[in-house]
Structures are given as C-alpha cells and as structure tokens.
Amino acid sequence: MQPFAVLGSGSWGTALALVLARNGHAVRLWGHNPEAIEQMAQAGCNQRYLPDVPLPDSIEPQPDLAAAVRGAQAILVVVPSGAFHAVIQQLARVITPGTPVVWATKGLDAAGGGLLHTLAASALPGHPLGVLSGPSFAGEVARGLPTAVALASEPGDCAEQLASAFHDGRFRVYTSTDVVGVELGGAVKNVLAIATGIADGLGFGANARAGLITRGLAEVRRLGVKMGAQDTTLTGLAGMGDLILTCTDDQSRNRRLGLALGRGESVDDAAQSIGQVVEGIRTAGELEALATTRGVDMPISHAVHQVVSGETSPRAAASALMQRAPKSEFGPD
C-alpha cells in the first residue's frame, strides 16, 4: 500500500499522522528541522509536543522532503500559515503529478491575505486539493479521544476518497464541497479566540464570553457571504464548532495569548511563554486587510488587530466595542 506523506512535524501534524497510522496506513512524517526529525526517530515520540504518545513503527520520521513525498498516495500539509507558501513551492518541485494534496493549516495567506487554496491551486495545477479543519486539539486527537472534523474539496476532487483514510471510531470525518467556508472558519476563529481570552483575562465573566462568541460568529458569516462560502458551513464543525472550542478551552494557544494580554502581558512575552506559533497574531492583521478590501464590518476582529499591533490596550478596545451605537441584531452591517 502506498504511504501517506505528512508535511509538518509539530503537534497537529504528528497527531494526524497518528490517526492515519492507527487506521493501518504507513506514514512519512517530514519536518523542516533535520535534527528534530532525527531526535523523533531515536526517541520514538515527538518529545517537544507530544512526549507521552509513542510513534508506531508505521510512522517514519523523514528529514528529506522529496523522499517523504515520493510515491505517496496523498500529501497532508500541516505547517503554520506563515510557512505554507514556501512549503507548497518546495512541494511543487518534487510532487508526483496528480497526487492529492490536503492541508490542515488554519490561517490566511501571509503575503496576499487571501485563502490558502488560492496559493495551492496556483502552485499545484492538476492536483486534487482539499482542506481538513474543525474543532480539534492535537493532544486529544493524538490520545485517541473522540473528535469530529470536516474535509472539503471541490466536487469529485478528493474529500470522499481521503475521508475514509482518516475516519474511524475515534476520528469522525464529514465531507464538504465548501473549501472557502471550511478555510475561513478555521482562520477567523483564531482571532476571535484571542478576543475571548482578553475578556476573560480582564475578568469580564461568562456573559461577555458568550456575547463575543455569538457576535464573532456573525462576523465570520458576514465575511463568508462576501467570499462565497456556504452559510451552513460556518454554523457547522469548521465554523461554529471550532470557534466554540478555541474560545472556551485553555488548550487553545490563541485563547491563552488573549488571557495573558488581558492580564497585562505584552504580545511578545505572552507568545514567548506559549512557546509555539500563535496563528491569531499574524491572522489578525491579514484579516483586517481582507475585511477592509471586502467592505465587511468586523468590529471584534478589528479590536483584536488593534491590540496585537499595539495600537490600543485590551481594556480600551473592550470599552470601544461596548460603546458602539445600538443596532438590530440581524440587520445589515
């Protein structure tokens, strides 16, 4: 049986490699740092991110990208959004024609501020493409706890084919044809999780948290309309589901960053203490530009951008949100 290639050996990439391995598939797990990959091979686990979860023999840590993808039946890209473009460009030079490529990266194009499938389609013409997203913490997936996600591709591309490779009694995969909606939900929720973390860090309570989640979902849906997403997607696993997860549980790096900001820490100090990429910091600026270009009112996301860019304080941003003029909940922007 042809192996799968997973590009990205962080916590999420390793967790998804474990899902495939538990389902009987051979997996080559690539990372950009050869020393870390060698350490993983020797230790038999991802000591930095998932030290308590052993890697089965069917997962081969592989430091060479070309060797990792050679002959793969499908490739899963699981790198931070800031590295997505570079990795896709590298992949384009070594991939076998026609190999399906799916990404589980949650973010926007670091250069252009658009969605990642635009980058993938440009670099990998002729390849079936898809995106996997939904409410999923890597540690829980790695330990085999029940999880449900969405896998989207254009009709007839690869969602149906690859869903069965991931799907089992502990990792449930729903298919979709709404690539835009699945990507958008996974990106924007990181920014909104910073907002709820800030509110909790300021001690604003459960009422504020619920209000931010609900109005944050309204922002995602407004942007989704302008970008051609299906509204049902944004009220499903990849939208509302992932939003609830990241806004309410401290396993979320974005929420933890917001908590630290609300308690008075700087962005740099908070990010350093977390020790992993906090996607919402970068995405906040990219989302600000995207919303402006599309003419979409996203006041919560705008407030997060102002805080993480140093333009205002968490308390001043919260005060500005609460002092906005009254409006109909379901009226126009």
Side-chain angles (χ1 to χ4, degrees), residues 190-191 194 254 257 267-268 270-271 277-286 304-305 308:
N190 287 326
V191 177
I194 294 176
N254 294 282
L257 181 97
V267 174
D268 289 343
V277 174
V278 182
E279 289 280 10
I281 298 173
R282 176 190 296 275
T283 304
E286 296 159 354
V304 172
H305 166 64
V308 299

Side-chain angles (χ1 to χ4, degrees), residues 106 133-137 184-196 209-221 234-249 252 255 300-301:
K106 296 180 180 181
S133 190
S136 46
F137 287 133
L184 197 61
V188 180
K189 60 93 181 182
N190 287 326
V191 177
L192 297 172
I194 294 176
T196 56
R209 187 189 316 123
L212 284 168
I213 293 171
T214 306
R215 295 309 303 164
L217 179 61
E219 292 189 10
V220 182
R221 293 173 72 184
L234 298 173
T235 59
L237 288 167
M240 182 170 63
D242 211 359
L243 179 63
I244 292 171
L245 182 79
T246 53
C247 287
T248 60
D249 194 289
S252 164
R255 173 175 162 78
I300 300 171
S301 303

Side-chain angles (χ1 to χ4, degrees), residues 288-304:
E288 174 82 355
L290 182 61
T292 300
T293 299
R294 298 281 180 163
V296 179
D297 184 30
M298 302 185 73
I300 300 171
S301 303
H302 173 68
V304 172

Side-chain angles (χ1 to χ4, degrees), residues 3-243:
F4 282 80
V6 176
L7 310 185
S9 58
S11 56
W12 190 213
T14 303
L16 290 172
L18 286 163
V19 172
L20 290 167
R22 287 169 182 160
N23 288 349
H25 301 286
V27 183
R28 299 180 191 137
L29 179 59
W30 173 86
H32 75 281
N33 185 335
E35 292 181 2
I37 291 295
E38 178 61 27
Q39 184 183 56
M40 192 182 303
Q42 292 181 355
C45 67
N46 189 328
Q47 287 185 313
R48 180 177 180 184
Y49 298 116
L50 297 167
D52 299 326
V53 185
L55 298 179
D57 292 340
S58 54
I59 295 180
E60 174 195 350
Q62 173 55 255
D64 182 78
L65 180 64
V69 304
R70 187 178 299 121
Q73 65 170 294
I75 297 168
L76 181 64
V77 181
V78 199
V79 298
S81 60
F84 187 83
H85 183 257
V87 170
I88 287 292
Q89 292 294 325
Q90 290 177 266
L91 177 60
R93 294 193 287 269
V94 296
I95 192 173
T96 301
T99 305
V101 177
V102 173
W103 53 96
T105 299
K106 296 180 180 181
L108 299 174
D109 170 13
L115 297 178
L116 299 181
H117 75 266
T118 304
L119 288 177
S122 176
L124 302 169
H127 290 268
L129 303 174
V131 55
L132 185 150
S133 190
S136 46
F137 287 133
E140 295 189 8
V141 171
R143 297 195 304 274
L145 299 180
T147 302
V149 298
L151 201 166
S153 71
E154 295 294 329
D157 254 9
C158 61
E160 297 287 348
Q161 170 194 346
L162 294 181
S164 60
F166 287 96
H167 187 94
D168 63 19
R170 293 175 286 183
F171 194 80
R172 183 168 178 80
V173 182
Y174 290 86
T175 58
S176 169
T177 58
D178 184 13
V179 174
V180 171
V182 170
E183 280 192 307
L184 197 61
V188 180
K189 60 93 181 182
N190 287 326
V191 177
L192 297 172
I194 294 176
T196 56
I198 289 172
D200 284 341
L202 289 167
F204 284 174
N207 294 350
R209 187 189 316 123
L212 284 168
I213 293 171
T214 306
R215 295 309 303 164
L217 179 61
E219 292 189 10
V220 182
R221 293 173 72 184
R222 285 200 295 270
L223 182 59
V225 168
K226 290 294 182 72
M227 298 192 69
Q230 298 172 18
D231 191 60
T232 49
T233 301
L234 298 173
T235 59
L237 288 167
M240 182 170 63
D242 211 359
L243 179 63

